[in-house]
Amino acid sequence: FEVREYVSSSEYRLLPLRKAPKEISWGSDDDALKRSDFFALQDIPLYQRLGGDNAIYSIAETIVRKLLTEKKLNDYLSSISLMTLIHKQQDFLKTAFGSTNQASLPAENIREFYRLHTSPELDEPALNRVIEILNNTLTELEVPEHEVSKLISALYQADHA
């Protein structure tokens, strides 16, 4: 490539161009290079990204509806009022998704924490079914897949710890 330098209106001379060095990183897993979080969403808690209290209430209500249609769970949930169950699920989701006014999720007892927010009488197979319903509901409601996976694997890992 060359650039013409005009000395006067009728004369010019050619100047060589040099290519500026630029390092290109192909196939990098570095988030800074990929700019995968352009809008810095990772700094905003999932609770807020989903829509706050109204969204969490809707998610909790959907989960509770599915729990109550599950015949295997009737014995565990029949003694709990509908609103109490919704509020317990809502509290769990707020904590799990980083609501600003909730305590952080207890990593070592997350499974037991969720059991208490559903029904303390749940045995292990019933709790596994509740977690499965939670997973399916969050996926159906299009909660980001990596966030759902992180929560569900934490709930299952606590079982095997």
Side-chain angles (χ1 to χ4, degrees):
F1 291 103
E2 297 175 337
V3 172
R4 295 178 182 179
E5 177 185 45
Y6 289 92
V7 178
S8 69
S9 61
S10 62
E11 298 178 22
Y12 65 88
R13 61 182 178 178
L14 299 176
L15 299 174
L17 287 180
R18 284 185 234 141
K19 194 172 189 175
K22 180 180 178 185
E23 189 176 319
I24 299 174
S25 178
W26 301 102
S28 174
D29 287 332
D30 185 3
D31 283 337
L33 291 174
K34 291 191 299 187
R35 295 183 54 106
S36 63
D37 192 22
F38 182 77
F39 297 105
L41 293 176
Q42 297 306 320
D43 297 338
I44 301 170
L46 181 59
Y47 167 80
Q48 290 177 337
R49 286 185 278 151
L50 291 174
D53 277 337
N54 292 337
I56 297 298
Y57 183 84
S58 295
I59 293 169
E61 189 177 41
T62 304
I63 292 168
V64 168
R65 273 195 220 134
K66 291 183 178 200
L67 291 174
L68 293 176
T69 60
E70 187 71 26
K71 291 183 178 167
K72 295 177 184 176
L73 300 174
N74 282 347
D75 293 340
Y76 303 103
L77 304 176
S78 61
S79 63
I80 304 171
S81 77
L82 177 65
M83 289 312 293
T84 300
L85 194 52
I86 290 173
H87 288 302
K88 284 183 170 190
Q89 291 296 307
Q90 189 178 12
D91 287 343
F92 173 78
L93 292 171
K94 281 181 173 182
T95 305
F97 294 157
S99 169
T100 54
N101 59 357
Q102 297 289 323
S104 63
L105 206 57
E108 68 281 347
N109 285 328
I110 184 172
R111 189 175 175 86
E112 190 59 30
F113 185 73
Y114 189 53
R115 180 192 320 268
L116 294 174
H117 277 77
T118 305
S119 172
E121 290 83 30
L122 287 171
D123 60 15
E124 289 304 308
L127 182 58
N128 286 335
R129 181 64 188 134
V130 169
I131 293 170
E132 186 181 321
I133 291 169
L134 173 68
N135 181 25
N136 294 341
T137 305
L138 294 175
T139 303
E140 287 170 15
L141 295 174
E142 298 179 1
V143 173
E145 185 179 330
H146 68 281
E147 300 282 1
V148 174
S149 297
K150 187 168 51 173
L151 175 61
I152 299 303
S153 43
L155 286 166
Y156 280 126
Q157 283 177 358
D159 181 36
H160 301 297

